[in-house]
Amino acid sequence: MRLPSWLAQHLAALRALLVFTVLLGIAYPLAMVGVGRIPGLSDRTDGSLVTVGETTVGSRLIGQAFTDADGNPDPRYFQSRPSAAGDGYDPTATSASNLGPESIVDTLADNPDDASQSLLTQVCARSAAIGTLEGVDGRRPYCTADGVGAVLAVFHRDGLTGPVTRVVSVNQTGTPFLATYEGVPVQPAKTGEDYRAMGGVITPIRGDAPAKPAVPADAVTASASGLDPHISPAYAELQVPRIARERGLSPDKVRALIKDNTDDRALGFLGEPGVNVLELNLALDGK
């Protein structure tokens, strides 16, 4: 007896559903679990957790903060790359800040929950803080001395042209980083004002910072995931004098530990070398 074509099509679809459910919903996951139990792979499939004694201190794959009881960077340890994942290094909220090169104007508000920093100000603040921590010049182009974006809203008589009539330091409500611009006194910003919408030309000011900042880029920018466990060799090298001083070690000894905990390029040519911060700090502790 020949089945109606519509019924035959439905039965064929049902058979395909059952076959693929068994293959992809049961057999494939079980096979992957089995592969994950192979010696040499089981540690990675469990999250590459690092255990000291009976205590899990972190993962080789997920960055973390190394701070003291007050939440400040612990000077005895190498510091990780900044994180924009949740409140920092949160695996359940992995993400980037979603801010780009044009994010240079802060949102100023009386309510801290309504205020937000531009990417430029975040970079400036981090660079200034790292400069203080490491005892180096933390200045960067387009940053003020107090660590915010050096950005002006410049108002012209004829809109985009003509003599300057008003200048506002858009990221500062206190004393502006410049006293005058083209002979016009620079005013502090007022919260809630949108100077771009008011006709101001947003103008970054480079300042006199060195062309090549002492603080590397990965020290002041978060990775796309916010969970990067590595820092660049350059950022690790920047921290050597502090670590050597705090630990009572020679700089050469600290550099040897950095070398031992540096991962080379993937397959020898992909990406850049990176220093695993957790493993490096454990090596400093002799663990």
Side-chain angles (χ1 to χ4, degrees):
M1 177 179 177
R2 187 170 184 179
L3 296 175
S5 61
W6 66 270
L7 181 57
Q9 292 174 358
H10 281 75
L11 289 174
L14 180 60
R15 287 195 297 269
L17 174 63
L18 293 174
V19 169
F20 282 108
T21 297
V22 171
L23 288 177
L24 303 180
I26 300 176
Y28 178 75
L30 288 177
M32 292 299 99
V33 171
V35 170
R37 296 298 94 190
I38 295 175
L41 294 180
S42 58
D43 175 64
R44 297 186 180 185
T45 56
D46 287 339
S48 296
L49 299 179
V50 179
T51 302
V52 177
E54 297 182 356
T55 303
T56 299
V57 296
S59 167
R60 294 182 177 88
L61 303 178
I62 297 176
Q64 63 187 74
F66 295 89
T67 55
D68 59 21
D70 297 324
N72 299 314
D74 191 327
R76 300 172 300 163
Y77 291 100
F78 281 91
Q79 296 300 305
S80 302
R81 187 174 184 177
S83 172
D87 292 330
Y89 315 100
D90 184 354
T92 66
T94 174
S95 66
S97 66
N98 226 19
L99 302 177
E102 294 184 0
S103 176
I104 61 175
V105 178
D106 299 349
T107 299
L108 305 177
D110 294 326
N111 184 352
D113 292 336
D114 296 329
S116 63
Q117 291 184 332
S118 63
L119 178 60
L120 176 60
T121 288
Q122 290 180 32
V123 168
C124 294
R126 290 166 180 164
S127 191
I130 292 173
T132 300
L133 178 64
E134 308 300 347
V136 298
D137 186 353
R139 294 179 302 157
R140 303 184 86 82
Y142 307 106
C143 294
T144 68
D146 56 348
V148 300
V151 182
L152 302 177
V154 180
F155 294 83
H156 296 267
R157 186 191 61 191
D158 302 320
L160 298 178
T161 60
V164 175
T165 58
R166 183 189 180 196
V167 184
V168 178
S169 178
V170 294
N171 294 333
Q172 294 178 301
T173 55
T175 303
F177 67 97
L178 280 182
T180 62
Y181 178 80
E182 294 191 9
V184 177
V186 178
Q187 304 169 4
K190 295 181 180 180
T191 57
E193 297 284 353
D194 186 344
Y195 294 101
R196 194 193 307 265
M198 294 167 62
V201 178
I202 302 302
T203 307
I205 304 299
R206 190 196 180 286
D208 60 355
K212 185 177 180 180
V215 179
D218 67 302
V220 297
T221 55
S223 64
S225 68
L227 305 177
D228 196 337
H230 295 88
I231 57 176
S232 67
Y235 187 23
E237 175 63 30
L238 179 69
Q239 302 181 62
V240 166
R242 167 175 55 83
I243 297 295
R245 181 181 65 252
E246 293 290 331
R247 294 276 181 164
L249 300 173
S250 70
D252 288 342
K253 174 63 176 177
V254 178
R255 292 188 179 97
L257 291 175
I258 292 174
K259 183 178 180 180
D260 291 342
N261 291 279
T262 298
D263 297 329
D264 292 329
R265 293 179 173 88
L267 302 178
F269 67 95
L270 295 176
E272 296 293 333
V275 182
N276 191 291
V277 182
L278 173 60
E279 293 182 332
L280 176 57
N281 284 334
L282 288 175
L284 279 172
D285 286 342
K287 298 177 180 180

